[in-house]
Amino acid sequence: AFGYTAYGSAIFLCCLFAIKVCASSISVEELFGQGVFAGITKVFAAAENWALPFLPVHVAFLDFILALDTCAAYRKAMGNNSHPVLQVFVSCLIATFGGTTMTAILLGQPPGWLSVLGCPVAFVMGFWLIFCFPGSVPYHVIQKTYPLRLIMSLINCFSGGHGVTSWGADKALTAVHLQPSGSGPYALLCGTLSGCGGGILAAWLRLGGDSKDWAFGTPPTLVRASVTVKTAALSSFLYYALRNPHDFLPWKPLLPHDEAKTVIFLLWIAVTLACEMGVTDPLAPLATLARRLLLVPDQVGNASKPAVPAKAKTH
């Protein structure tokens, strides 16, 4: 146990060092000279271009952490079972990049993660460490070291924030096709899908590792939305409201572009920390309030009623 903890601590320190190296172009004075929020905004803006240090090619740091987390979750769901390596590879790939891929398909554009070398390499590295590393040391370290899992969850908030904004809504708002760029629903949908679409596809097709056989049935998200889906949807609507890019709402943009993105990032941080503190669904009260205000019930249709026996005929 001590060995696992020590190794996990070493990986944790390496992650912190990677962040420090990647953000070294920003001085402390530049970060916090105008306030904490301005400093967080600069860090969040720089995070999109973070890379793993000491490598000959640019390997996306955020995608690497997301791949590690996704692959570790898949392997944990497998339990003591084994699946074909290609099936596991494709399943984890869909769960990692499925959201931004769906956004790209909707916009008629090539997926951004395939347009650069660093993203696929980051995924392959994460997959190899979890499933192919001798002794499965990285996987066991992640499972046995809570501080490491926590820091990975917080780093994934950078991916969630950028997924909704930079890789989702902003892609729709600046689409090469004119119709999507002028559509509010397009921006809301792309923001939501880029923030959680990989998880939606994984649950829909049963790619989570709990079953060896894929299945195509009713998407679980449509039956009961997960916390991640709720967070992505709320983030997408909030980002659109803060920016009001089409002047559809009765107010001017409330925040500049980068500051609005930071608010979304802080929302993901808040939800993640609430879940870590034992709150099952931090957004459940808000979802319930929205349904009641809009008079939307949990289920619609013709409720089944007990059959009424026909009256006996009298002669």
Side-chain angles (χ1 to χ4, degrees), residues 194-217:
S194 292
C196 66
I200 292 177
L201 286 177
W204 188 1
L205 302 177
R206 296 191 67 183
L207 310 181
D210 56 334
S211 174
K212 191 173 182 179
D213 298 320
W214 294 3
F216 190 81

Side-chain angles (χ1 to χ4, degrees), residues 158-211:
F158 284 92
S159 297
H162 276 298
V164 171
T165 59
S166 306
W167 308 332
D170 287 350
K171 290 289 186 182
L173 295 173
T174 59
V176 295
H177 303 293
L178 295 180
Q179 286 184 325
S181 64
S183 170
Y186 237 117
L188 295 173
L189 179 60
C190 290
T192 302
L193 289 178
S194 292
C196 66
I200 292 177
L201 286 177
W204 188 1
L205 302 177
R206 296 191 67 183
L207 310 181
D210 56 334
S211 174

Side-chain angles (χ1 to χ4, degrees), residues 45-66:
E48 190 175 6
N49 297 315
W50 283 350
L52 294 178
F54 312 122
L55 295 177
V57 296
H58 183 282
V59 178
F61 177 73
L62 295 183
D63 290 334
F64 172 70
I65 299 298
L66 181 59

Side-chain angles (χ1 to χ4, degrees), residues 45-92:
E48 190 175 6
N49 297 315
W50 283 350
L52 294 178
F54 312 122
L55 295 177
V57 296
H58 183 282
V59 178
F61 177 73
L62 295 183
D63 290 334
F64 172 70
I65 299 298
L66 181 59
L68 277 178
D69 190 40
T70 303
C71 293
Y74 186 101
R75 181 163 180 175
K76 181 180 179 181
M78 288 171 61
N80 296 323
N81 299 319
S82 297
H83 297 173
V85 61
L86 184 59
Q87 176 184 348
V88 176
F89 186 88
V90 173
S91 298
C92 293

Side-chain angles (χ1 to χ4, degrees), residues 11-221:
I11 293 182
F12 172 63
L13 292 177
C14 288
C15 290
L16 291 182
F17 179 72
I19 294 176
K20 179 180 181 299
V21 170
C22 297
S24 59
S25 60
I26 306 175
S27 65
V28 176
E29 291 77 10
E30 289 176 328
L31 284 179
F32 301 106
Q34 298 179 351
V36 175
F37 184 79
I40 296 175
T41 299
K42 292 181 179 179
V43 171
F44 180 68
E48 190 175 6
N49 297 315
W50 283 350
L52 294 178
F54 312 122
L55 295 177
V57 296
H58 183 282
V59 178
F61 177 73
L62 295 183
D63 290 334
F64 172 70
I65 299 298
L66 181 59
L68 277 178
D69 190 40
T70 303
C71 293
Y74 186 101
R75 181 163 180 175
K76 181 180 179 181
M78 288 171 61
N80 296 323
N81 299 319
S82 297
H83 297 173
V85 61
L86 184 59
Q87 176 184 348
V88 176
F89 186 88
V90 173
S91 298
C92 293
L93 185 67
I94 293 174
T96 302
F97 295 120
T100 53
T101 301
M102 285 195 293
T103 292
I105 293 174
L106 284 173
L107 296 176
Q109 301 174 183
W113 64 273
L114 279 175
S115 303
V116 293
L117 179 62
C119 295
V121 172
F123 174 80
V124 171
M125 289 177 59
F127 179 87
W128 185 86
L129 286 172
I130 295 299
F131 291 104
C132 305
F133 192 93
S136 301
V137 175
Y139 169 72
H140 292 301
V141 167
I142 291 174
Q143 294 304 312
K144 294 179 179 294
T145 311
Y146 172 75
L148 181 58
R149 295 199 306 273
L150 175 60
I151 198 66
M152 288 175 63
S153 297
L154 294 177
I155 293 175
N156 282 333
C157 290
F158 284 92
S159 297
H162 276 298
V164 171
T165 59
S166 306
W167 308 332
D170 287 350
K171 290 289 186 182
L173 295 173
T174 59
V176 295
H177 303 293
L178 295 180
Q179 286 184 325
S181 64
S183 170
Y186 237 117
L188 295 173
L189 179 60
C190 290
T192 302
L193 289 178
S194 292
C196 66
I200 292 177
L201 286 177
W204 188 1
L205 302 177
R206 296 191 67 183
L207 310 181
D210 56 334
S211 174
K212 191 173 182 179
D213 298 320
W214 294 3
F216 190 81
T218 303
T221 300

Side-chain angles (χ1 to χ4, degrees), residues 217-234:
T218 303
T221 300
L222 300 183
V223 179
R224 184 175 183 179
S226 66
V227 176
T228 303
V229 172
K230 292 178 182 178
T231 305
L234 176 61

